[in-house]
């Protein structure tokens, strides 16, 4: 210890537990004003994955081996690679901050290895990996099912989703003011957040990244369907007003036009449920998700020999 004092590297380690320090860290992380509430929620979940291993342990007592054993245990419990990556990313931030605040001397996350599940030959041969996109013919079949058998708003919703490569959250947050019918563009300026999937309890957040704020050129086919949707919505709103019935007048494009909460935007889970129904009707792979439509869009651009730079834009 004497040599450490001389070199200025001695740290008087505190007695705070991981449970208490991680909570303090999360409050500080949130208070910066630089992170979204959705990101804070993710960090909170990732802390909950680490708590069973470290909750009551003093920060200074957690060793590199204990931390590595925790990551290995998460992998053995069957958590996905991305989930363990996230838990480790949050763990690194917490322990790094503890070092910066002189709570601990060494960071137990240093040189930790995130274990990854490797698919067996049999699994690869069986092709159990979730497909990420539809082929051109499959997309046509899916949209045909949406047009013929879709519920209210299904066809314009999924047509816009597929032809613009918007994220589901951006789609749910879309307002009529974001659409320029004359210039044939859609501006992406916000995303939808509703972790409890309650229609009247949502938030609008800034886009996922700085580059997520963008302007998209839109096909005539999509714009025509959106105009039809807008006309139907205006007619519905007039009837609601005439009958003195409530309408959540926030100008959302894919607003509810039935039920107890007319005017409120669709929530993400409902988009997924609607898509699952149409996949079943069209007898397509039921492992596809709304996010698959983004991959489908990218794939079709590549087939059309659009440059990588343009696709990224």
């Amino acid at each position: 210890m004497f040599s450490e004092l001389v070199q200025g590297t001695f740290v008087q380690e505190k007695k705070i537990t991981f449970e208490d320090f991680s909570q303090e860290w999360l409050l500080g992380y949130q208070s910066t004003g630089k992170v979204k509430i959705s990101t804070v929620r993710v960090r909170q979940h990732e802390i909950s994955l680490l708590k069973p291993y470290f909750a009551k342990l003093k920060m200074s007592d957690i060793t590199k081996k204990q931390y590595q054993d925790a990551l290995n245990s998460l992998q053995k419990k069957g958590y996905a690679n991305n989930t363990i990556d996230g838990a480790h990313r949050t763990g690194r931030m917490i322990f790094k901050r503890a070092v910066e605040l002189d709570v601990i001397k060494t960071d137990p996350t240093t040189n930790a290895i995130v274990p990854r599940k490797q698919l067996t030959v049999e699994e690869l041969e069986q092709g159990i990996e979730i497909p990420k996109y539809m082929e051109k013919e499959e997309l046509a079949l899916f949209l045909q099912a949406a047009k013929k058998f879709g519920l209210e708003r299904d066809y314009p919703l999924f047509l816009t989703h597929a032809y613009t490569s918007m994220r589901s959250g951006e789609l749910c947050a879309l307002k009529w003011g974001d659409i320029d019918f004359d210039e044939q563009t859609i501006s992406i300026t916000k995303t939808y957040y509703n972790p409890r999937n309650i229609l009247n309890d949502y938030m609008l957040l800034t886009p996922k990244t700085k580059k997520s704020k963008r302007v998209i050129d839109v096909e005539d086919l999509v714009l025509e369907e959106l105009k039809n949707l807008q006309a139907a919505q205006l007619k519905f709103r007039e009837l609601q007003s005439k009958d003195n019935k409530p309408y959540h007048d926030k100008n959302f494009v894919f607003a509810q036009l039935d039920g107890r909460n007319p005017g409120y935007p669709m929530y993400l889970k409902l988009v997924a449920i609607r898509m699952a129904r149409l996949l079943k009707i069209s007898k397509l792979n039921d492992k596809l998700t709304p996010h698959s439509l983004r991959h489908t869009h990218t794939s079709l651009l590549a087939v059309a020999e659009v440059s990588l730079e343009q696709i990224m834009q």
Side-chain angles (χ1 to χ4, degrees):
M1 185 173 79
F2 177 76
S3 63
E4 291 175 332
L5 284 170
V6 172
Q7 296 170 18
T9 59
F10 175 70
V11 173
Q12 181 63 54
E13 296 175 328
K14 309 296 189 297
K15 296 182 179 180
I16 190 170
T17 63
F18 175 84
E19 184 175 42
D20 292 338
F21 185 82
S22 61
Q23 188 60 35
E24 287 184 14
W25 173 83
L26 189 64
L27 290 173
Y29 180 75
Q30 184 175 5
S31 69
T32 62
K34 297 179 180 179
V35 293
K36 300 178 188 176
I37 187 173
S38 55
T39 305
V40 173
R41 187 181 176 90
V42 169
R43 298 292 177 229
Q44 194 168 31
H45 171 67
E46 290 165 348
I47 288 172
S48 73
L49 295 175
L50 298 173
K51 272 187 177 181
Y53 305 99
F54 309 128
K56 301 302 179 183
L57 294 180
K58 289 191 296 183
M59 291 288 289
S60 57
D61 289 343
I62 299 171
T63 66
K64 289 184 178 182
K65 185 177 185 307
Q66 286 174 315
Y67 185 80
Q68 183 65 63
D69 288 345
L71 296 181
N72 294 342
S73 176
L74 290 173
Q75 195 266 337
K76 289 176 182 176
K77 287 181 178 180
Y79 285 100
N81 292 341
N82 287 343
T83 302
I84 304 173
D85 276 335
H88 177 48
R89 187 163 50 248
T90 297
R92 287 176 61 188
M93 287 191 285
I94 291 170
F95 284 102
K96 179 184 177 182
R97 186 59 177 157
V99 171
E100 292 171 349
L101 294 177
D102 294 343
V103 172
I104 58 176
K105 177 180 174 181
T106 58
D107 181 353
T109 70
T110 304
N111 298 323
I113 298 173
V114 179
R116 297 189 175 280
K117 179 187 176 184
Q118 298 296 323
L119 294 177
T120 64
V121 173
E122 290 76 16
E123 287 173 329
L124 289 171
E125 288 177 344
Q126 292 170 8
I128 67 167
E129 292 181 277
I130 297 175
K132 292 184 177 180
Y133 61 90
M134 299 181 197
E135 298 291 348
K136 181 180 178 180
E137 295 76 17
E138 291 175 323
L139 177 60
L141 186 62
F142 173 77
L143 292 176
Q144 185 179 32
K147 189 172 187 178
K148 188 174 181 180
F149 303 108
L151 303 176
E152 183 189 24
R153 305 183 306 283
D154 274 2
Y155 182 58
L157 174 77
F158 290 112
L159 183 70
T160 305
H161 210 328
Y163 273 66
T164 64
S165 190
M166 292 169 62
R167 297 178 177 88
S168 291
E170 296 167 343
L171 204 66
C172 291
L174 194 66
K175 295 189 176 187
W176 289 113
D178 300 321
I179 303 175
D180 189 326
F181 288 101
D182 294 327
E183 294 296 323
Q184 298 187 308
T185 61
I186 291 178
S187 297
I188 309 300
T189 60
K190 53 196 167 294
T191 189
Y192 177 90
Y193 179 67
N194 189 345
R196 296 194 297 164
N197 294 317
I198 299 175
L199 269 176
N200 58 2
D201 186 24
Y202 69 90
M203 293 179 66
L204 297 181
L205 306 178
T206 54
K208 186 176 180 180
T209 66
K210 288 182 179 179
K211 289 186 178 180
S212 294
K213 186 177 179 180
R214 60 203 188 278
V215 177
I216 300 172
D217 293 322
V218 189
E219 298 277 351
D220 289 334
L221 172 66
V222 177
L223 292 171
E224 284 303 312
E225 284 302 321
L226 289 174
K227 285 179 182 178
N228 292 338
L229 178 63
Q230 186 179 45
Q233 192 180 106
L234 287 172
K235 185 176 180 180
F236 178 85
R237 288 169 63 178
E238 288 173 2
L239 290 174
Q240 289 290 103
S241 178
K242 184 178 179 180
D243 296 337
N244 292 318
K245 292 182 179 179
Y247 186 87
H248 185 64
D249 194 5
K250 296 295 182 180
N251 222 26
F252 286 105
V253 173
F254 298 105
Q256 294 286 119
L257 298 184
D258 52 15
R260 293 177 296 176
N261 298 291
Y264 281 88
M266 294 181 72
Y267 53 88
L268 302 185
K269 188 174 181 180
L270 183 57
V271 176
I273 291 171
R274 293 280 188 95
M275 182 168 179
R277 174 181 175 273
L278 293 172
L279 288 171
K280 185 176 181 181
I281 290 173
S282 50
K283 297 182 180 179
L284 293 171
N285 196 311
D286 61 5
K287 297 296 190 296
L288 292 165
T289 67
H291 195 72
S292 303
L293 294 173
R294 277 175 60 79
H295 292 292
T296 299
H297 185 89
T298 302
S299 174
L300 294 178
L301 287 177
V303 170
E305 298 184 350
V306 175
S307 71
L308 180 59
E309 182 180 359
Q310 287 177 303
I311 290 175
M312 290 174 69
Q313 289 175 352

